[in-house]
Amino acid sequence: IPHFNAITSVLDNLNNRKLEVSDLEVGTSHNDQRCFWLAKLKGEGDYAPFIGGRNAHDRSVSLALYGGASIFICSNMMVSAKFTDARKHTNGIGDDLAELVNKSLDRVLRENVVNRKRIDYYKKQALGNKDAYFFMVDAMKREILGPSKIKYLVEQWEKPLHEEFAPKNAWSLHNCFTEIFKDLHSADLVYHRNTVLNEMMDDFTGFDKPIIDITPPKKEEKVVEVKPVKAKPSPKPKA
């Protein structure tokens, strides 16, 4: 699969779904034999989904698409993402490309809906200092952050860097942690800690992850009433 085809198949599918890409990054390595890209979809408010991919003409790695709230892809093809859909470079890969792209984008959009509901729910969960400090200590016990980061975490809670996180709610507390995660250099570590953080916050606030079905509705079949045709009487034989 040419790199251009692998990328444009994603962009064309997004365009057909009326989805806009706000930022696209593409890179190549190993004399252009390997390619990786990352597309940020235009989001609303506090969340924007990503879809990325990689391809290799030397067949060093499978053609793969990745999705989630944050994706990291570097030149050595190390990837950290919410999910992966891959296809080996064997016969018929060209025919399977459209199905692979469609499947991955369905998953991205499904996760997008869940995260939007999660954020809206977090914003409605007001927290006092006592609850916030308890959560911070519990997160430290679960090794989401080290003891040395507690001081900075408290400072973020009491005086957030961004004005939109001034309200004392679960979403503001969540942002305190993600600000600290920006100092981490390992993509896998960021992904793991963010996953554990979401699980903890869901349990702490009582958020039930909804089951999202984004399957397009089937077209209604028109029922045509067929009226019985009366048989014409046979002509009488002539004498």
Side-chain angles (χ1 to χ4, degrees):
I1 296 292
H3 301 324
F4 178 81
N5 291 1
I7 298 173
T8 54
S9 62
V10 174
L11 299 179
D12 289 344
N13 195 305
L14 289 170
N15 185 58
N16 293 336
R17 295 170 183 253
K18 310 298 181 184
L19 297 173
E20 184 178 346
V21 175
S22 62
D23 190 25
L24 175 65
E25 298 180 21
V26 180
T28 60
S29 65
H30 297 79
N31 295 322
D32 297 333
Q33 287 294 303
R34 304 175 191 178
C35 177
F36 47 94
W37 64 92
L38 185 62
K40 179 181 181 181
L41 306 188
K42 188 174 181 180
E44 298 176 2
D46 304 306
Y47 175 79
F50 286 81
I51 182 165
R54 70 181 185 187
N55 189 46
H57 291 165
D58 58 10
R59 300 190 180 188
S60 57
V61 294
S62 300
L63 168 66
L65 296 175
Y66 307 91
S70 60
I71 306 173
F72 181 84
I73 307 175
C74 65
S75 58
N76 64 3
M77 306 305 244
M78 183 184 74
V79 182
S80 175
K82 176 71 175 180
F83 69 82
T84 306
D85 291 324
R87 172 66 164 82
K88 291 183 178 181
H89 296 272
T90 55
N91 292 337
I93 185 173
D95 297 333
D96 295 340
L97 180 60
E99 182 180 353
L100 177 70
V101 172
N102 201 56
K103 174 185 176 182
S104 295
L105 286 176
D106 281 348
R107 295 177 68 173
V108 168
L109 296 180
R110 187 181 297 109
E111 185 68 18
N112 183 32
V113 173
V114 172
N115 277 324
R116 287 191 183 281
K117 290 182 178 294
R118 173 182 281 118
I119 292 171
D120 290 341
Y121 183 84
Y122 284 177
K123 287 181 177 180
K124 296 176 183 177
Q125 309 306 309
L127 295 178
N129 289 339
K130 184 177 180 180
D131 290 332
Y133 299 150
F134 174 84
F135 187 90
M136 294 177 191
V137 173
D138 194 23
M140 181 188 66
K141 291 179 179 178
R142 302 194 191 189
E143 300 182 347
I144 293 181
L145 74 165
S148 61
K149 298 294 184 179
I150 285 289
K151 182 177 181 294
Y152 183 62
L153 195 63
V154 172
E155 291 175 353
Q156 283 294 310
W157 172 254
E158 296 179 347
K159 295 181 180 180
L161 292 176
H162 308 287
E163 184 178 347
E164 55 267 35
F165 296 112
K168 303 300 183 183
N169 54 42
W171 179 234
S172 298
L173 181 58
H174 189 283
N175 181 73
C176 294
F177 284 86
T178 54
E179 280 293 330
I180 293 178
F181 291 167
K182 292 178 181 178
D183 295 333
L184 300 174
H185 300 291
S186 169
D188 289 334
L189 190 59
V190 173
Y191 173 73
H192 170 71
R193 292 190 177 185
N194 196 62
T195 300
V196 177
L197 173 63
N198 285 342
E199 292 173 353
M200 282 188 62
M201 190 67 75
D202 287 352
D203 183 61
F204 189 69
T205 60
F207 174 73
D208 291 326
K209 187 175 179 180
I211 299 175
I212 306 297
D213 183 10
I214 60 171
T215 305
K218 295 182 179 180
K219 294 182 179 180
E220 295 184 0
E221 297 181 357
K222 294 183 179 180
V223 179
V224 180
E225 183 180 355
V226 180
K227 295 182 179 180
V229 179
K230 294 182 179 180
K232 293 182 179 180
S234 301
K236 294 181 179 182
K238 293 182 180 180

